[in-house]
PDB file of all heavy atoms in Angstrom:
ATOM      1  N   GLU A   1      34.059 -36.374   9.708  1.00 94.00           N
ATOM      2  CA  GLU A   1      33.837 -37.737  10.183  1.00 94.00           C
ATOM      3  C   GLU A   1      34.914 -38.164  11.176  1.00 94.00           C
ATOM      4  O   GLU A   1      34.628 -38.830  12.182  1.00 94.00           O
ATOM      5  CB  GLU A   1      33.799 -38.702   8.999  1.00 94.00           C
ATOM      6  CG  GLU A   1      32.567 -38.539   8.121  1.00 94.00           C
ATOM      7  CD  GLU A   1      32.619 -39.408   6.872  1.00 94.00           C
ATOM      8  OE1 GLU A   1      33.746 -39.829   6.492  1.00 94.00           O
ATOM      9  OE2 GLU A   1      31.552 -39.657   6.283  1.00 94.00           O
ATOM     10  N   ALA A   2      36.164 -37.769  10.922  1.00 92.00           N
ATOM     11  CA  ALA A   2      37.276 -38.191  11.775  1.00 92.00           C
ATOM     12  C   ALA A   2      37.142 -37.673  13.196  1.00 92.00           C
ATOM     13  O   ALA A   2      37.570 -38.336  14.153  1.00 92.00           O
ATOM     14  CB  ALA A   2      38.596 -37.720  11.167  1.00 92.00           C
ATOM     15  N   HIS A   3      36.529 -36.501  13.354  1.00 88.00           N
ATOM     16  CA  HIS A   3      36.440 -35.904  14.685  1.00 88.00           C
ATOM     17  C   HIS A   3      34.987 -35.707  15.145  1.00 88.00           C
ATOM     18  O   HIS A   3      34.722 -34.940  16.053  1.00 88.00           O
ATOM     19  CB  HIS A   3      37.196 -34.568  14.700  1.00 88.00           C
ATOM     20  CG  HIS A   3      38.668 -34.748  14.465  1.00 88.00           C
ATOM     21  ND1 HIS A   3      39.290 -34.375  13.275  1.00 88.00           N
ATOM     22  CD2 HIS A   3      39.638 -35.286  15.236  1.00 88.00           C
ATOM     23  CE1 HIS A   3      40.568 -34.668  13.352  1.00 88.00           C
ATOM     24  NE2 HIS A   3      40.819 -35.227  14.513  1.00 88.00           N
ATOM     25  N   HIS A   4      34.083 -36.430  14.456  1.00 91.00           N
ATOM     26  CA  HIS A   4      32.676 -36.501  14.882  1.00 91.00           C
ATOM     27  C   HIS A   4      31.981 -35.141  14.870  1.00 91.00           C
ATOM     28  O   HIS A   4      31.199 -34.816  15.772  1.00 91.00           O
ATOM     29  CB  HIS A   4      32.588 -37.149  16.270  1.00 91.00           C
ATOM     30  CG  HIS A   4      33.332 -38.442  16.376  1.00 91.00           C
ATOM     31  ND1 HIS A   4      32.938 -39.587  15.722  1.00 91.00           N
ATOM     32  CD2 HIS A   4      34.479 -38.766  17.045  1.00 91.00           C
ATOM     33  CE1 HIS A   4      33.783 -40.562  15.985  1.00 91.00           C
ATOM     34  NE2 HIS A   4      34.734 -40.086  16.770  1.00 91.00           N
ATOM     35  N   PHE A   5      32.256 -34.357  13.834  1.00 93.00           N
ATOM     36  CA  PHE A   5      31.525 -33.122  13.600  1.00 93.00           C
ATOM     37  C   PHE A   5      30.401 -33.403  12.603  1.00 93.00           C
ATOM     38  O   PHE A   5      30.446 -34.399  11.867  1.00 93.00           O
ATOM     39  CB  PHE A   5      32.438 -32.030  13.036  1.00 93.00           C
ATOM     40  CG  PHE A   5      33.514 -31.586  13.986  1.00 93.00           C
ATOM     41  CD1 PHE A   5      34.854 -31.845  13.715  1.00 93.00           C
ATOM     42  CD2 PHE A   5      33.203 -30.897  15.153  1.00 93.00           C
ATOM     43  CE1 PHE A   5      35.853 -31.435  14.582  1.00 93.00           C
ATOM     44  CE2 PHE A   5      34.197 -30.476  16.026  1.00 93.00           C
ATOM     45  CZ  PHE A   5      35.527 -30.746  15.744  1.00 93.00           C
ATOM     46  N   GLU A   6      29.421 -32.497  12.556  1.00 94.00           N
ATOM     47  CA  GLU A   6      28.344 -32.646  11.588  1.00 94.00           C
ATOM     48  C   GLU A   6      28.904 -32.470  10.175  1.00 94.00           C
ATOM     49  O   GLU A   6      29.702 -31.569   9.919  1.00 94.00           O
ATOM     50  CB  GLU A   6      27.247 -31.607  11.843  1.00 94.00           C
ATOM     51  CG  GLU A   6      26.011 -31.794  10.970  1.00 94.00           C
ATOM     52  CD  GLU A   6      24.919 -30.792  11.285  1.00 94.00           C
ATOM     53  OE1 GLU A   6      25.060 -30.059  12.290  1.00 94.00           O
ATOM     54  OE2 GLU A   6      23.931 -30.737  10.519  1.00 94.00           O
ATOM     55  N   ILE A   7      28.481 -33.337   9.249  1.00 95.00           N
ATOM     56  CA  ILE A   7      29.033 -33.328   7.893  1.00 95.00           C
ATOM     57  C   ILE A   7      28.582 -32.078   7.138  1.00 95.00           C
ATOM     58  O   ILE A   7      27.382 -31.777   7.078  1.00 95.00           O
ATOM     59  CB  ILE A   7      28.579 -34.587   7.112  1.00 95.00           C
ATOM     60  CG1 ILE A   7      28.948 -35.857   7.889  1.00 95.00           C
ATOM     61  CG2 ILE A   7      29.216 -34.592   5.726  1.00 95.00           C
ATOM     62  CD1 ILE A   7      30.414 -36.048   8.127  1.00 95.00           C
ATOM     63  N   PRO A   8      29.509 -31.319   6.553  1.00 95.00           N
ATOM     64  CA  PRO A   8      29.124 -30.157   5.745  1.00 95.00           C
ATOM     65  C   PRO A   8      28.654 -30.593   4.363  1.00 95.00           C
ATOM     66  O   PRO A   8      28.973 -31.703   3.909  1.00 95.00           O
ATOM     67  CB  PRO A   8      30.420 -29.349   5.655  1.00 95.00           C
ATOM     68  CG  PRO A   8      31.498 -30.393   5.717  1.00 95.00           C
ATOM     69  CD  PRO A   8      30.974 -31.473   6.636  1.00 95.00           C
ATOM     70  N   GLU A   9      27.919 -29.727   3.693  1.00 95.00           N
ATOM     71  CA  GLU A   9      27.446 -30.009   2.343  1.00 95.00           C
ATOM     72  C   GLU A   9      27.988 -28.954   1.384  1.00 95.00           C
ATOM     73  O   GLU A   9      27.797 -27.756   1.598  1.00 95.00           O
ATOM     74  CB  GLU A   9      25.915 -30.033   2.307  1.00 95.00           C
ATOM     75  CG  GLU A   9      25.304 -31.167   3.116  1.00 95.00           C
ATOM     76  CD  GLU A   9      23.792 -31.172   3.051  1.00 95.00           C
ATOM     77  OE1 GLU A   9      23.224 -30.373   2.275  1.00 95.00           O
ATOM     78  OE2 GLU A   9      23.170 -31.970   3.788  1.00 95.00           O
ATOM     79  N   PHE A  10      28.650 -29.434   0.339  1.00 94.00           N
ATOM     80  CA  PHE A  10      29.272 -28.546  -0.642  1.00 94.00           C
ATOM     81  C   PHE A  10      28.552 -28.611  -1.984  1.00 94.00           C
ATOM     82  O   PHE A  10      28.025 -29.661  -2.368  1.00 94.00           O
ATOM     83  CB  PHE A  10      30.737 -28.939  -0.867  1.00 94.00           C
ATOM     84  CG  PHE A  10      31.670 -28.546   0.240  1.00 94.00           C
ATOM     85  CD1 PHE A  10      31.839 -29.362   1.344  1.00 94.00           C
ATOM     86  CD2 PHE A  10      32.376 -27.355   0.180  1.00 94.00           C
ATOM     87  CE1 PHE A  10      32.701 -29.019   2.367  1.00 94.00           C
ATOM     88  CE2 PHE A  10      33.249 -26.991   1.190  1.00 94.00           C
ATOM     89  CZ  PHE A  10      33.412 -27.820   2.290  1.00 94.00           C
ATOM     90  N   LEU A  11      28.562 -27.505  -2.690  1.00 92.00           N
ATOM     91  CA  LEU A  11      28.112 -27.481  -4.074  1.00 92.00           C
ATOM     92  C   LEU A  11      29.236 -28.009  -4.962  1.00 92.00           C
ATOM     93  O   LEU A  11      30.410 -27.781  -4.701  1.00 92.00           O
ATOM     94  CB  LEU A  11      27.751 -26.048  -4.490  1.00 92.00           C
ATOM     95  CG  LEU A  11      26.662 -25.367  -3.665  1.00 92.00           C
ATOM     96  CD1 LEU A  11      26.514 -23.908  -4.108  1.00 92.00           C
ATOM     97  CD2 LEU A  11      25.340 -26.108  -3.799  1.00 92.00           C
ATOM     98  N   SER A  12      28.869 -28.717  -6.002  1.00 87.00           N
ATOM     99  CA  SER A  12      29.878 -29.316  -6.883  1.00 87.00           C
ATOM    100  C   SER A  12      30.305 -28.332  -7.975  1.00 87.00           C
ATOM    101  O   SER A  12      30.080 -28.562  -9.172  1.00 87.00           O
ATOM    102  CB  SER A  12      29.339 -30.612  -7.502  1.00 87.00           C
ATOM    103  OG  SER A  12      29.133 -31.587  -6.509  1.00 87.00           O
ATOM    104  N   ASN A  13      30.920 -27.250  -7.550  1.00 81.00           N
ATOM    105  CA  ASN A  13      31.433 -26.301  -8.538  1.00 81.00           C
ATOM    106  C   ASN A  13      32.910 -26.062  -8.269  1.00 81.00           C
ATOM    107  O   ASN A  13      33.459 -26.442  -7.233  1.00 81.00           O
ATOM    108  CB  ASN A  13      30.658 -24.974  -8.491  1.00 81.00           C
ATOM    109  CG  ASN A  13      30.870 -24.241  -7.181  1.00 81.00           C
ATOM    110  OD1 ASN A  13      30.902 -24.844  -6.117  1.00 81.00           O
ATOM    111  ND2 ASN A  13      31.018 -22.928  -7.260  1.00 81.00           N
ATOM    112  N   LYS A  14      33.578 -25.466  -9.225  1.00 82.00           N
ATOM    113  CA  LYS A  14      35.014 -25.215  -9.103  1.00 82.00           C
ATOM    114  C   LYS A  14      35.319 -23.905  -9.808  1.00 82.00           C
ATOM    115  O   LYS A  14      35.504 -23.860 -11.020  1.00 82.00           O
ATOM    116  CB  LYS A  14      35.820 -26.373  -9.707  1.00 82.00           C
ATOM    117  CG  LYS A  14      37.323 -26.224  -9.547  1.00 82.00           C
ATOM    118  CD  LYS A  14      38.070 -27.524  -9.823  1.00 82.00           C
ATOM    119  CE  LYS A  14      37.887 -28.035 -11.231  1.00 82.00           C
ATOM    120  NZ  LYS A  14      38.719 -29.232 -11.508  1.00 82.00           N
ATOM    121  N   ASP A  15      35.353 -22.824  -9.028  1.00 84.00           N
ATOM    122  CA  ASP A  15      35.644 -21.513  -9.611  1.00 84.00           C
ATOM    123  C   ASP A  15      37.153 -21.338  -9.698  1.00 84.00           C
ATOM    124  O   ASP A  15      37.828 -22.114 -10.347  1.00 84.00           O
ATOM    125  CB  ASP A  15      34.988 -20.411  -8.769  1.00 84.00           C
ATOM    126  CG  ASP A  15      33.471 -20.463  -8.845  1.00 84.00           C
ATOM    127  OD1 ASP A  15      32.958 -20.967  -9.856  1.00 84.00           O
ATOM    128  OD2 ASP A  15      32.809 -20.004  -7.903  1.00 84.00           O
ATOM    129  N   GLU A  16      37.698 -20.348  -9.048  1.00 91.00           N
ATOM    130  CA  GLU A  16      39.139 -20.124  -9.108  1.00 91.00           C
ATOM    131  C   GLU A  16      39.866 -21.045  -8.129  1.00 91.00           C
ATOM    132  O   GLU A  16      39.434 -21.238  -7.004  1.00 91.00           O
ATOM    133  CB  GLU A  16      39.447 -18.666  -8.777  1.00 91.00           C
ATOM    134  CG  GLU A  16      38.876 -17.688  -9.809  1.00 91.00           C
ATOM    135  CD  GLU A  16      39.243 -16.258  -9.490  1.00 91.00           C
ATOM    136  OE1 GLU A  16      39.580 -15.970  -8.329  1.00 91.00           O
ATOM    137  OE2 GLU A  16      39.205 -15.434 -10.413  1.00 91.00           O
ATOM    138  N   PHE A  17      40.995 -21.604  -8.586  1.00 95.00           N
ATOM    139  CA  PHE A  17      41.749 -22.523  -7.737  1.00 95.00           C
ATOM    140  C   PHE A  17      43.188 -22.618  -8.213  1.00 95.00           C
ATOM    141  O   PHE A  17      43.566 -22.078  -9.254  1.00 95.00           O
ATOM    142  CB  PHE A  17      41.105 -23.913  -7.744  1.00 95.00           C
ATOM    143  CG  PHE A  17      41.229 -24.635  -9.064  1.00 95.00           C
ATOM    144  CD1 PHE A  17      42.263 -25.538  -9.293  1.00 95.00           C
ATOM    145  CD2 PHE A  17      40.326 -24.397 -10.103  1.00 95.00           C
ATOM    146  CE1 PHE A  17      42.385 -26.195 -10.513  1.00 95.00           C
ATOM    147  CE2 PHE A  17      40.434 -25.055 -11.312  1.00 95.00           C
ATOM    148  CZ  PHE A  17      41.468 -25.954 -11.530  1.00 95.00           C
ATOM    149  N   LYS A  18      43.997 -23.328  -7.440  1.00 97.00           N
ATOM    150  CA  LYS A  18      45.363 -23.644  -7.830  1.00 97.00           C
ATOM    151  C   LYS A  18      45.730 -24.991  -7.224  1.00 97.00           C
ATOM    152  O   LYS A  18      45.172 -25.396  -6.191  1.00 97.00           O
ATOM    153  CB  LYS A  18      46.332 -22.571  -7.349  1.00 97.00           C
ATOM    154  CG  LYS A  18      46.414 -22.417  -5.837  1.00 97.00           C
ATOM    155  CD  LYS A  18      47.120 -21.147  -5.442  1.00 97.00           C
ATOM    156  CE  LYS A  18      46.999 -20.901  -3.936  1.00 97.00           C
ATOM    157  NZ  LYS A  18      46.858 -19.497  -3.600  1.00 97.00           N
ATOM    158  N   ILE A  19      46.629 -25.684  -7.877  1.00 98.00           N
ATOM    159  CA  ILE A  19      47.186 -26.939  -7.369  1.00 98.00           C
ATOM    160  C   ILE A  19      48.679 -26.707  -7.187  1.00 98.00           C
ATOM    161  O   ILE A  19      49.394 -26.435  -8.162  1.00 98.00           O
ATOM    162  CB  ILE A  19      46.944 -28.105  -8.336  1.00 98.00           C
ATOM    163  CG1 ILE A  19      45.443 -28.291  -8.586  1.00 98.00           C
ATOM    164  CG2 ILE A  19      47.563 -29.387  -7.789  1.00 98.00           C
ATOM    165  CD1 ILE A  19      45.129 -29.306  -9.676  1.00 98.00           C
ATOM    166  N   VAL A  20      49.152 -26.770  -5.954  1.00 98.00           N
ATOM    167  CA  VAL A  20      50.536 -26.435  -5.660  1.00 98.00           C
ATOM    168  C   VAL A  20      51.432 -27.654  -5.897  1.00 98.00           C
ATOM    169  O   VAL A  20      51.259 -28.704  -5.266  1.00 98.00           O
ATOM    170  CB  VAL A  20      50.690 -25.931  -4.221  1.00 98.00           C
ATOM    171  CG1 VAL A  20      52.158 -25.634  -3.917  1.00 98.00           C
ATOM    172  CG2 VAL A  20      49.839 -24.672  -4.010  1.00 98.00           C
ATOM    173  N   ASN A  21      52.355 -27.509  -6.828  1.00 98.00           N
ATOM    174  CA  ASN A  21      53.282 -28.578  -7.195  1.00 98.00           C
ATOM    175  C   ASN A  21      54.510 -28.530  -6.286  1.00 98.00           C
ATOM    176  O   ASN A  21      55.169 -27.499  -6.171  1.00 98.00           O
ATOM    177  CB  ASN A  21      53.703 -28.398  -8.658  1.00 98.00           C
ATOM    178  CG  ASN A  21      54.639 -29.482  -9.141  1.00 98.00           C
ATOM    179  OD1 ASN A  21      55.698 -29.706  -8.567  1.00 98.00           O
ATOM    180  ND2 ASN A  21      54.281 -30.156 -10.224  1.00 98.00           N
ATOM    181  N   CYS A  22      54.825 -29.663  -5.646  1.00 98.00           N
ATOM    182  CA  CYS A  22      55.957 -29.742  -4.718  1.00 98.00           C
ATOM    183  C   CYS A  22      57.065 -30.658  -5.216  1.00 98.00           C
ATOM    184  O   CYS A  22      57.878 -31.167  -4.431  1.00 98.00           O
ATOM    185  CB  CYS A  22      55.472 -30.209  -3.351  1.00 98.00           C
ATOM    186  SG  CYS A  22      54.301 -29.072  -2.589  1.00 98.00           S
ATOM    187  N   ASP A  23      57.122 -30.859  -6.537  1.00 98.00           N
ATOM    188  CA  ASP A  23      58.128 -31.766  -7.099  1.00 98.00           C
ATOM    189  C   ASP A  23      59.553 -31.321  -6.781  1.00 98.00           C
ATOM    190  O   ASP A  23      60.449 -32.152  -6.554  1.00 98.00           O
ATOM    191  CB  ASP A  23      57.967 -31.873  -8.620  1.00 98.00           C
ATOM    192  CG  ASP A  23      56.741 -32.674  -9.021  1.00 98.00           C
ATOM    193  OD1 ASP A  23      56.112 -33.289  -8.132  1.00 98.00           O
ATOM    194  OD2 ASP A  23      56.401 -32.685 -10.220  1.00 98.00           O
ATOM    195  N   LYS A  24      59.794 -30.016  -6.754  1.00 98.00           N
ATOM    196  CA  LYS A  24      61.158 -29.522  -6.502  1.00 98.00           C
ATOM    197  C   LYS A  24      61.636 -29.964  -5.121  1.00 98.00           C
ATOM    198  O   LYS A  24      62.793 -30.396  -4.961  1.00 98.00           O
ATOM    199  CB  LYS A  24      61.201 -28.000  -6.633  1.00 98.00           C
ATOM    200  CG  LYS A  24      62.589 -27.415  -6.399  1.00 98.00           C
ATOM    201  CD  LYS A  24      62.596 -25.900  -6.551  1.00 98.00           C
ATOM    202  CE  LYS A  24      63.981 -25.328  -6.257  1.00 98.00           C
ATOM    203  NZ  LYS A  24      64.015 -23.852  -6.359  1.00 98.00           N
ATOM    204  N   LEU A  25      60.773 -29.855  -4.130  1.00 98.00           N
ATOM    205  CA  LEU A  25      61.140 -30.273  -2.773  1.00 98.00           C
ATOM    206  C   LEU A  25      61.412 -31.769  -2.714  1.00 98.00           C
ATOM    207  O   LEU A  25      62.388 -32.219  -2.099  1.00 98.00           O
ATOM    208  CB  LEU A  25      60.018 -29.899  -1.799  1.00 98.00           C
ATOM    209  CG  LEU A  25      60.209 -30.301  -0.341  1.00 98.00           C
ATOM    210  CD1 LEU A  25      61.454 -29.660   0.250  1.00 98.00           C
ATOM    211  CD2 LEU A  25      58.975 -29.940   0.482  1.00 98.00           C
ATOM    212  N   ILE A  26      60.569 -32.551  -3.372  1.00 98.00           N
ATOM    213  CA  ILE A  26      60.749 -34.010  -3.380  1.00 98.00           C
ATOM    214  C   ILE A  26      62.056 -34.381  -4.077  1.00 98.00           C
ATOM    215  O   ILE A  26      62.806 -35.246  -3.607  1.00 98.00           O
ATOM    216  CB  ILE A  26      59.537 -34.683  -4.058  1.00 98.00           C
ATOM    217  CG1 ILE A  26      58.274 -34.460  -3.219  1.00 98.00           C
ATOM    218  CG2 ILE A  26      59.783 -36.175  -4.260  1.00 98.00           C
ATOM    219  CD1 ILE A  26      56.987 -34.836  -3.915  1.00 98.00           C
ATOM    220  N   LYS A  27      62.369 -33.703  -5.175  1.00 98.00           N
ATOM    221  CA  LYS A  27      63.615 -33.968  -5.896  1.00 98.00           C
ATOM    222  C   LYS A  27      64.848 -33.590  -5.079  1.00 98.00           C
ATOM    223  O   LYS A  27      65.941 -34.111  -5.313  1.00 98.00           O
ATOM    224  CB  LYS A  27      63.614 -33.231  -7.236  1.00 98.00           C
ATOM    225  CG  LYS A  27      62.641 -33.815  -8.255  1.00 98.00           C
ATOM    226  CD  LYS A  27      62.597 -32.994  -9.534  1.00 98.00           C
ATOM    227  CE  LYS A  27      61.588 -33.567 -10.518  1.00 98.00           C
ATOM    228  NZ  LYS A  27      61.471 -32.730 -11.744  1.00 98.00           N
ATOM    229  N   SER A  28      64.671 -32.688  -4.108  1.00 98.00           N
ATOM    230  CA  SER A  28      65.793 -32.312  -3.241  1.00 98.00           C
ATOM    231  C   SER A  28      66.110 -33.397  -2.219  1.00 98.00           C
ATOM    232  O   SER A  28      67.118 -33.320  -1.511  1.00 98.00           O
ATOM    233  CB  SER A  28      65.489 -31.000  -2.509  1.00 98.00           C
ATOM    234  OG  SER A  28      64.609 -31.218  -1.403  1.00 98.00           O
TER     235      SER A  28
END
């Protein structure tokens, strides 16, 4: 939407993933 491209369509599933925690950098 921000750059006026055609909107993609995703399936609502969640297989393998990771959430990268950056608390150490913020604490620095």
